[in-house]
């Protein structure tokens, strides 16, 4: 079955960077986009961007451009999200999700378990 | 940027029907997808392409769209349906989520 397993909890100081991984299995990694979504405490879902597993092309939400970088490693079917210059309002749970259908991101399923990132001095 | 508006909360008695709306400008030209998120858990896709159900989702869940509003309907509501629900569309090269609706089962 399709599975997405994310890296563990991160605690960072303001101004630092964080890199979250999302290891996938059970499907053809290069046939789908992989999207990243975050959720601040008590808030809704916020789309951050997606990356093509086929050629690494990316699209980012405008508010994150310049601070977020999505990358991937096809040899391990793993995607990465790096967020730089962290602020306290970046404290959130960060999710990865497969974006389907193949080669054409629309819906998101399944999702990883989420990674808690806390930014605090 | 594209905005999808949902009611903040919906309350429903067990066995009744819950209706959750998602409004957006010209939403008729976008496919709408719906997610259920229970406390402390990752979201789960419950409806995609306006009205299709992924395998494993009960047929009590249905989706529809008319004009500038998409609707998620949950029939014969159960206690286990208590959750937050989000609509989502693809808008060009971006994904957009609705503001979210908390469904409370009375």
């Amino acid at each position: 079955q399709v599975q997405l397993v994310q890296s563990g909890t991160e605690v960072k100081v303001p101004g630092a960077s964080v890199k979250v991984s999302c290891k996938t299995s059970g499907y053809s990694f290069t046939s789908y986009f992989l999207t990243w979504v975050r959720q601040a405490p008590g808030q809704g879902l916020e789309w951050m961007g997606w990356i093509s597993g086929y050629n690494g092309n990316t699209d980012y939400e405008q508010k994150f451009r310049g601070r977020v970088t999505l990358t991937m490693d096809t040899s391990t079917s793993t995607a990465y999200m790096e967020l730089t210059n962290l602020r306290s309002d970046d404290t959130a749970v960060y999710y990865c999700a497969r974006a389907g259908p193949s080669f054409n991101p629309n819906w998101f399923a399944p999702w990883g378990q989420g990674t808690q990132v806390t930014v605090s001095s | 940027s594209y905005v999808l508006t949902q009611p903040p909360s919906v309350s429903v008695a067990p066995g009744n029907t819950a209706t959750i709306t998602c409004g957006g400008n010209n939403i008729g030209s976008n496919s709408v997808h719906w997610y259920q998120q229970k406390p402390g858990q990752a979201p789960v896709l419950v409806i995609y392409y306006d009205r299709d159900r992924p395998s494993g989702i009960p047929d009590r869940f249905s989706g529809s769209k008319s004009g500038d509003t998409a609707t998620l309907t949950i029939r014969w509501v159960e206690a286990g349906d208590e959750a937050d629900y989000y609509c989502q569309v693809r808008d060009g090269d971006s994904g957009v989520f609705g503001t979210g609706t908390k469904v409370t089962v009375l």
Side-chain angles (χ1 to χ4, degrees):
Chain A
Q1 74 281 23
V2 178
Q3 284 191 311
L4 286 74
V5 179
Q6 300 182 223
S7 50
T9 298
E10 300 271 8
V11 179
K12 298 290 182 181
V13 296
S17 300
V18 69
K19 191 170 185 176
V20 179
S21 67
C22 173
K23 184 168 176 57
T24 73
S25 61
Y27 74 97
S28 173
F29 182 82
T30 55
S31 296
Y32 288 83
F33 280 68
L34 197 293
T35 195
W36 290 86
V37 175
R38 77 176 186 180
Q39 186 170 38
Q43 302 301 307
L45 302 175
E46 183 175 33
W47 183 79
M48 299 181 68
W50 52 40
I51 182 168
S52 166
Y54 177 68
N55 57 16
N57 285 354
T58 54
D59 291 301
Y60 299 115
E61 172 59 40
Q62 185 164 1
K63 73 174 282 187
F64 296 109
R65 288 176 195 164
R67 283 210 304 142
V68 69
T69 303
L70 302 184
T71 57
M72 62 172 191
D73 181 348
T74 56
S75 68
T76 60
S77 300
T78 302
Y80 301 90
M81 186 283 299
E82 183 174 25
L83 188 61
T84 61
N85 194 21
L86 289 168
R87 310 184 288 251
S88 58
D89 62 358
D90 291 317
T91 294
V93 176
Y94 289 75
Y95 294 102
C96 62
R98 186 183 67 167
S102 300
F103 305 111
N104 183 22
N106 265 273
W107 43 260
F108 307 145
W111 295 57
Q113 83 276 20
T115 295
Q116 175 68 51
V117 175
T118 301
V119 183
S120 175
S121 55
Chain B
S1 61
Y2 197 66
V3 176
L4 295 173
T5 302
Q6 300 179 232
S9 62
V10 167
S11 296
V12 58
N16 284 3
T17 298
T19 301
I20 305 162
T21 58
C22 173
N25 187 33
N26 202 28
I27 200 173
S29 64
N30 296 93
S31 293
V32 181
H33 319 294
W34 291 92
Y35 302 86
Q36 176 194 69
Q37 186 181 33
K38 297 181 179 180
Q41 298 184 19
V44 173
L45 180 71
V46 293
I47 293 289
Y48 64 117
Y49 291 132
D50 301 335
R51 60 180 63 247
D52 292 339
R53 267 188 324 275
S55 62
I57 302 300
D59 59 6
R60 300 185 297 104
F61 290 82
S62 63
S64 62
K65 195 168 63 176
S66 178
D68 283 345
T69 302
T71 301
L72 174 68
T73 301
I74 311 172
R75 293 184 170 79
W76 305 294
V77 166
E78 303 171 354
D81 298 329
E82 188 162 284
D84 293 325
Y85 291 83
Y86 296 90
C87 58
Q88 175 256 319
V89 303
R90 174 177 177 173
D91 178 41
D93 293 330
S94 300
V96 181
F97 286 98
T99 50
T101 299
K102 181 175 181 60
V103 170
T104 299
V105 180
L106 301 170

